[in-house]
Amino acid sequence: MPKQNKFEDVDVTASLEAIMKQNTGFYQSDFDIDREIIAKAVASDSKEGKTLLWFCRPSGTHCFRERDVFLKDTAPHNTWRFYMEQTSDRILAYAIELTGRERGKIKGSLYELDYSRHYERVKEKGLPADTVKLIYERGEQMIPAGQYFSGSPDPQLGKFERFEALPNDPDALKWLLQEEHRSREQLPQGDFKAHIAALHDGLIETEARRIVREMKRNYEPNSPNKTHFMVELSPAFMRLADTKDTDRLFSMLPYKTLSFSKIEGRHGTYALIDKGENRDREIRKPRPSVRAQLKADKTKTAPKKAAAKNKNHDLEV
């Protein structure tokens, strides 16, 4: 499992958009909603309101306050769990801690999350929230969780602004969020450009593994003329990939008779292999580039430099 990193003092929206483009082929417009959520959060008076959880998937993105994700039966909690429990989507997830605005940019830190492990924490540590606070322009109103409300203006309280779930035990939520913060603060500082490159490599490898997995699932040839096994290349992947990416994908698939082709009467592009091809194989690991190999060899053979001598000024007279 690759290690997670943190990326401090970044342009938050630009960084998240770059991440999204390594995974989200459809509904990238979801990110417009995320921008609004982030812009409102950075203006929040509470530290709790400035900490968000965000993820992207092949068909869309989601952004929630961290506190809400850890409150059971809320929409953020249920959504965060749904994509682990009900899909096999590749999910790229991050915690966001906003620090403010600088020259028109929203700044903060991103913390890479292992979505599957984070899901387990949310599932295990989620707290009950049996009350919902309705917030109006001139006051608040409490109702039981699950009770319908229209969001209409109130004669006494004025315009409805928003609502939030309230934990049964506020101190438990406060402690939990502090624990989450302390945990991710231990992550090493990462190189964001290298991170984006690794995510792009992961996009291609994930698609290769999916195709190999799907090839194994078919017991009989499934091409129209029953002479080949075939798997459609993911439409979300194809929206993100260029020619070099599909070439790399081709090189990672372990089949001698492989071809990428259109099928008459069907949309999309398909990976096809002869019906006699051995399908009990795993992907080929991509070879490192010549430049990367030379750099690695140079690092191994380079002589170690002697440590620089420092003056001990305390001993000077």
Side-chain angles (χ1 to χ4, degrees):
M1 181 181 64
K3 67 177 182 179
Q4 279 70 55
N5 292 289
K6 62 182 177 183
F7 308 97
E8 297 178 315
D9 193 32
V10 299
D11 180 335
V12 171
T13 53
S15 299
L16 293 178
E17 185 173 15
I19 292 167
M20 176 189 68
K21 290 180 178 179
Q22 310 310 315
N23 197 40
T24 304
F26 295 101
Y27 303 108
Q28 290 190 2
S29 59
D30 282 1
F31 192 64
D32 294 337
I33 299 172
D34 301 342
R35 288 179 192 274
E36 294 178 7
I37 293 171
I38 292 167
K40 289 179 180 178
V42 77
S44 172
D45 294 330
S46 71
K47 184 177 180 180
E48 185 180 277
K50 294 180 186 290
T51 304
L52 308 171
L53 297 180
W54 178 88
F55 72 76
C56 66
R57 55 194 180 89
S59 296
T61 69
H62 286 286
C63 187
F64 306 112
R65 292 191 301 176
E66 183 183 38
R67 72 176 299 280
D68 296 333
V69 171
F70 278 99
L71 294 180
K72 290 181 178 179
D73 298 320
T74 62
H77 177 88
N78 293 340
T79 302
W80 197 265
R81 290 180 54 175
F82 175 84
Y83 292 99
M84 175 58 67
E85 296 172 349
Q86 303 295 329
T87 79
S88 58
D89 287 351
R90 179 191 187 219
I91 304 293
L92 303 180
Y94 297 79
I96 308 166
E97 293 187 3
L98 301 172
T99 55
R101 288 183 178 271
E102 184 179 313
R103 297 180 181 178
K105 297 177 181 179
I106 297 176
K107 303 299 288 288
S109 297
L110 301 183
Y111 301 84
E112 192 179 2
L113 301 176
D114 180 323
Y115 176 63
S116 62
R117 294 179 66 181
H118 191 271
Y119 157 84
E120 292 294 343
R121 290 206 302 278
V122 169
K123 181 180 177 181
E124 176 187 347
K125 298 183 178 182
L127 299 170
D130 295 328
T131 303
V132 171
K133 178 167 65 175
L134 307 182
I135 302 170
Y136 296 83
E137 60 181 337
R138 293 193 298 273
E140 301 170 350
Q141 183 180 349
M142 307 298 180
I143 63 171
Q147 178 177 312
Y148 172 79
F149 64 92
S150 66
S152 301
D154 183 90
Q156 283 76 42
L157 302 177
K159 180 183 176 183
F160 176 76
E161 294 184 344
R162 61 185 178 87
F163 71 94
E164 67 176 36
L166 299 179
N168 295 2
D169 187 343
D171 288 338
L173 178 61
K174 182 178 180 180
W175 181 88
L176 175 57
L177 297 180
Q178 289 174 345
E179 183 184 56
E180 288 294 305
H181 171 76
R182 285 193 296 267
S183 175
R184 58 179 170 256
E185 273 299 310
Q186 304 305 311
L187 294 176
Q189 178 68 30
D191 180 321
F192 190 73
K193 288 185 178 180
H195 180 59
I196 292 298
L199 291 180
H200 195 72
D201 291 344
L203 171 71
I204 300 168
E205 182 173 333
T206 297
E207 180 66 1
R209 292 188 184 281
R210 185 193 67 83
I211 291 171
V212 167
R213 188 168 60 248
E214 292 297 321
M215 285 290 188
K216 292 178 180 179
R217 284 182 179 173
N218 294 310
Y219 292 103
E220 300 292 337
N222 60 333
S223 66
N225 57 8
K226 306 303 180 185
T227 59
H228 293 77
F229 289 94
M230 68 180 197
V231 174
E232 183 182 4
L233 272 61
S234 164
F237 172 81
M238 293 301 288
R239 286 179 69 93
L240 297 172
D242 59 21
T243 302
K244 290 182 179 179
D245 297 331
T246 54
D247 288 346
R248 287 178 61 192
L249 174 65
F250 191 97
S251 70
M252 292 178 73
L253 295 173
Y255 309 116
K256 296 178 181 179
T257 60
L258 176 67
S259 64
F260 288 167
S261 179
K262 301 284 187 180
I263 301 293
E264 186 176 354
R266 300 193 186 193
H267 296 291
T269 301
Y270 290 79
L272 296 100
I273 60 173
D274 187 85
K275 65 180 181 180
E277 176 91 41
N278 177 12
R279 292 176 292 122
D280 189 22
R281 295 175 177 173
E282 301 303 326
I283 67 167
R284 297 187 184 115
K285 280 291 187 179
R287 296 178 180 177
S289 67
V290 174
R291 180 181 296 177
Q293 191 64 52
L294 289 173
K295 184 177 180 180
D297 292 342
K298 185 177 180 180
T299 302
K300 289 180 182 178
T301 58
K304 292 184 178 180
K305 294 182 179 179
K309 294 182 178 179
N310 294 319
K311 287 185 178 180
N312 187 341
H313 293 285
D314 291 338
L315 300 180
E316 291 184 356
V317 293

